[in-house]
Amino acid sequence: MMYVLQVRPGYEEAAVRLIADKGYTAMCPTEEIYIRSQGQWHKRLKLVFTQYIFVECELTDESYYNIRSVFGVVRFLGFGSPEPLKADEQEYIRLLWNKGKPIEASKIYTTLSGDKMVLSGILREYRDNIVSLDLRQRRAKVSVTLLGKPYTITFPVISI
């Protein structure tokens, strides 16, 4: 089962390492985004979910207190008690985690009629959930649900 943990700001990656050292699978999805600075585009790494990490484990009293005792962990998310993510939400997170590698920009092609086609990248998996696509800012916003709440995630895109 996969659970969501809230962590202190800036401690996401450290908490993932410490939880992994205890023998649990912990995930903190990252992405390569493009930032325009001094007239040029630069790649930067950014967390997909700030202040949240994801842990796969069978939750027992022992594992709960082992994970909860990690410095930076604030709490497990859930309604009163830790609540696991649904199967489709777990697939979202595994896809976003990308086996520990940052998500690269999806390639977008604009046809002569102005239609936009997603050629490659993670956006192909979310093409039905696209909320907005801004090629000038090199960003696409996608809607997903986690623990029953809707979230908007921003993905990097490149126009080719």
Side-chain angles (χ1 to χ4, degrees), residues 15-135:
V16 165
R17 278 193 307 275
L18 292 171
I19 290 170
D21 289 346
K22 292 187 176 217
Y24 303 101
T25 304
M27 296 170 247
C28 180
T30 57
E31 61 185 346
E32 287 181 347
I33 62 166
Y34 290 90
I35 306 282
R36 190 167 178 96
S37 174
Q38 298 177 353
Q40 295 192 358
W41 289 98
H42 303 279
K43 280 186 188 179
R44 299 279 190 264
L45 285 181
K46 176 184 168 255
L47 297 173
V48 175
F49 298 100
T50 56
Q51 295 186 1
Y52 296 100
I53 62 173
F54 304 88
V55 176
E56 273 190 302
C57 68
E58 286 302 319
L59 199 62
T60 62
D61 287 344
E62 180 183 354
S63 61
Y64 173 83
Y65 288 108
N66 261 342
I67 294 168
R68 184 67 184 79
S69 69
V70 169
F71 184 76
V73 172
V74 175
R75 65 187 175 111
F76 278 83
L77 293 189
F79 301 103
S81 63
E83 188 173 320
L85 293 174
K86 295 176 188 168
D88 59 332
E89 296 172 342
Q90 291 181 33
E91 286 307 311
Y92 281 152
I93 300 305
R94 284 190 193 95
L95 187 64
L96 291 172
W97 185 51
N98 198 23
K99 298 178 184 169
K101 295 181 227 157
I103 298 167
E104 294 180 357
S106 298
K107 293 184 174 124
I108 307 292
Y109 175 74
T110 305
T111 64
L112 293 174
S113 63
D115 295 333
K116 294 171 180 61
M117 296 171 33
V118 181
L119 298 178
S120 67
I122 195 165
L123 207 53
R124 286 182 64 84
E125 303 292 328
Y126 292 96
R127 76 184 96 159
D128 295 333
N129 300 22
I130 296 174
V131 175
S132 69
L133 184 60
D134 186 350
L135 294 178

